[in-house]
Amino acid sequence: MIRILLFLRSSPGALDRGFRLFVPVLLISLLNGCASLDYYGQLANGQWQLLRARTPVPQLLADPATEPKLRQHLEQSQRARAFASEQLKLPDNRSYRVYADIGRPFVVWNVFATPEFSLEPQTHCFPIAGCVAYRGYYSQGGARGAAAVQKLQGLDVYIGGVEAYSTLGWFDDPILNSMLGWGDERLATVIFHELAHQRVYVKDDTAFNESFATFVEQEGTRQWRAARGLTAQVQDGGKQRDQFVGLVLASRERLKALYTQPLAPDAMRAAKQAEFERLRREYRQLRDSEWGGVGRFDAWINAPMNNAKLLPFGLYDQWVPAFAAVFAQVGGDWRRFYGRVEEIGRLPIGERQLVLKGL
């Protein structure tokens, strides 16, 4: 799941003062014209609406009118939230101690775009958060409109819905209604992941940030289960996901090689579509031979395919083994682990990647 990272700040409970902090960012957008003003405006409005929708979780738990299922989810979430700060040494703040019902299945929609014959993303740069390979929109209509404009420019475009995101500690991030359908354990893992972004974040290096947060999520979940006396959970779904991602990444590498060939545009398009058909064929073979014919990725694989649709894969786990090695080196001490990760994050990106590869 891709999470858009926003970049504004307010003091807890001071929404009026917090909203005024949108002004400098909006002024920055004036340098780039009306289109940028519109984009930053919808970010400001969307974040403002989200802030207004927040309610402290203790208030909801104390309210007899709170729906029982919601109450149960919130109670479990607060146990995981306390564990995150007390045991995983993640930030101890109001994030995920407030709740917001946004009345829709996704909080934002991310728009990815690439050239027709390239897997290099169209990047977008923001204050504090740095450069990322997508733009986020708080309305599905806004995302579709932006995607349509990019398609007219000849780009490959993909829209992905996002159930949760981190503001890197600049706001008190809420538990959202869009997060509650996952189950209590998955909700806990997302809290660990998003709080990890608040603990360490490196500008302009999505793979580093997401791999770090994914490791914290995985190791945190293992410890969370152990603390409750539960055995390590073996999930066929996790194995299937890994196998599926492996297929997509292999297809992406073949496409990269294809796009270096001196082919005419029509020949390149035909070869590109042939590669997508190969991906579909290999997926169906895997599904039918190893998964008993039941595949959770059928809808994704059968939908229209393009370069942009492949972009999110690999960002979340590229460096997970490296971070696991760092954690082992510091003897599982979370504070020392974060300190070492921060040291690596301060290195120039080329040197940083060499260190991670060495690990």
Side-chain angles (χ1 to χ4, degrees):
M1 177 179 50
I2 299 299
R3 298 164 176 91
I4 184 171
L5 305 174
L6 298 183
F7 38 83
L8 307 172
R9 187 168 196 167
S10 69
S11 301
L15 296 186
D16 53 342
R17 296 195 302 273
F19 187 71
R20 287 200 294 270
L21 290 176
F22 282 106
V23 174
V25 178
L26 291 175
L27 290 177
I28 289 171
S29 71
L30 291 174
L31 300 176
N32 297 317
C34 293
S36 292
L37 178 59
D38 288 344
Y39 177 72
Y40 279 102
Q42 67 89 27
L43 283 185
N45 183 64
Q47 182 67 35
W48 173 242
Q49 295 300 323
L50 186 63
L51 294 178
R52 292 183 63 189
R54 297 177 307 176
T55 302
V57 170
Q59 180 178 325
L60 288 169
L61 294 179
D63 186 349
T66 298
E67 194 268 329
K69 188 174 182 180
L70 174 60
R71 181 188 303 276
Q72 177 186 352
H73 283 311
L74 293 178
E75 288 173 345
Q76 292 294 330
S77 75
Q78 296 312 283
R79 296 187 183 99
R81 180 63 184 84
F83 183 86
S85 294
E86 294 167 5
Q87 302 300 321
L88 308 183
K89 310 307 178 186
L90 291 167
D92 189 3
N93 53 31
R94 292 181 74 240
S95 288
Y96 309 108
R97 290 182 169 122
V98 292
Y99 173 75
D101 188 337
I102 54 176
R104 56 183 188 268
F106 299 111
V107 59
V108 292
W109 286 262
N110 285 345
V111 179
F112 300 85
T114 70
E116 183 181 9
F117 301 133
S118 172
L119 285 156
E120 290 299 317
Q122 300 285 302
T123 57
H124 308 277
C125 299
F126 303 97
I128 299 177
C131 299
V132 294
Y134 52 83
R135 265 192 165 190
Y137 294 82
Y138 279 90
S139 74
Q140 189 174 26
R144 287 175 172 172
V149 171
Q150 291 177 306
K151 286 179 182 178
L152 290 175
Q153 296 170 351
L155 299 174
D156 279 12
V157 183
Y158 175 66
I159 301 173
V162 179
E163 293 99 336
Y165 65 75
S166 171
T167 59
L168 308 181
W170 290 72
F171 288 115
D172 300 325
D173 295 323
I175 297 168
L176 299 169
N177 66 291
S178 56
M179 301 163 64
L180 297 183
W182 300 334
D184 291 331
E185 181 154 306
R186 178 58 182 150
L187 177 56
T189 67
V190 172
I191 290 173
F192 301 158
H193 184 108
E194 301 301 347
L195 286 173
H197 283 310
Q198 294 188 17
R199 184 61 184 79
V200 178
Y201 183 81
V202 177
K203 287 183 67 174
D204 305 333
D205 196 338
T206 302
F208 181 94
N209 295 320
E210 295 299 348
S211 296
F212 161 72
T214 296
F215 171 76
V216 173
E217 168 191 325
Q218 293 175 353
E219 177 61 21
T221 300
R222 187 192 67 78
Q223 293 187 17
W224 172 234
R225 291 185 62 82
R228 293 177 294 151
L230 302 177
T231 59
Q233 190 174 37
V234 179
Q235 294 182 333
D236 290 339
K239 179 182 178 182
Q240 290 179 5
R241 177 194 172 278
D242 290 343
Q243 291 175 320
F244 176 67
V245 170
L247 290 180
V248 175
L249 293 180
S251 179
R252 199 164 68 182
E253 290 304 310
R254 291 192 296 268
L255 284 168
K256 285 182 181 179
L258 170 65
Y259 296 148
T260 65
Q261 301 301 311
L263 298 178
D266 286 345
M268 186 70 80
R269 290 187 187 100
K272 174 182 175 180
Q273 292 306 314
E275 176 54 47
F276 289 142
E277 287 305 315
R278 175 179 174 177
L279 173 59
R280 291 188 175 103
R281 184 169 62 252
E282 291 180 347
Y283 166 77
R284 290 165 185 149
Q285 289 171 348
L286 176 65
R287 179 197 63 191
D288 296 341
S289 63
E290 297 191 28
W291 303 351
V294 179
R296 56 196 273 212
F297 307 107
D298 284 6
W300 189 94
I301 205 77
N302 292 325
M305 198 87 70
N306 63 30
N307 295 329
K309 192 173 181 177
L310 308 185
L311 283 181
F313 290 87
L315 289 176
Y316 282 75
D317 47 22
Q318 179 178 354
W319 301 119
V320 169
F323 290 115
V326 173
F327 193 72
Q329 288 174 356
V330 299
D333 184 307
W334 283 105
R335 286 194 174 92
R336 291 177 59 200
F337 170 69
Y338 298 137
R340 177 61 180 141
V341 171
E342 288 173 335
E343 291 175 2
I344 297 172
R346 285 193 289 267
L347 298 172
I349 188 166
E351 188 176 345
R352 184 188 312 146
Q353 291 180 350
L354 285 175
V355 169
L356 292 171
K357 288 178 181 177
L359 287 164

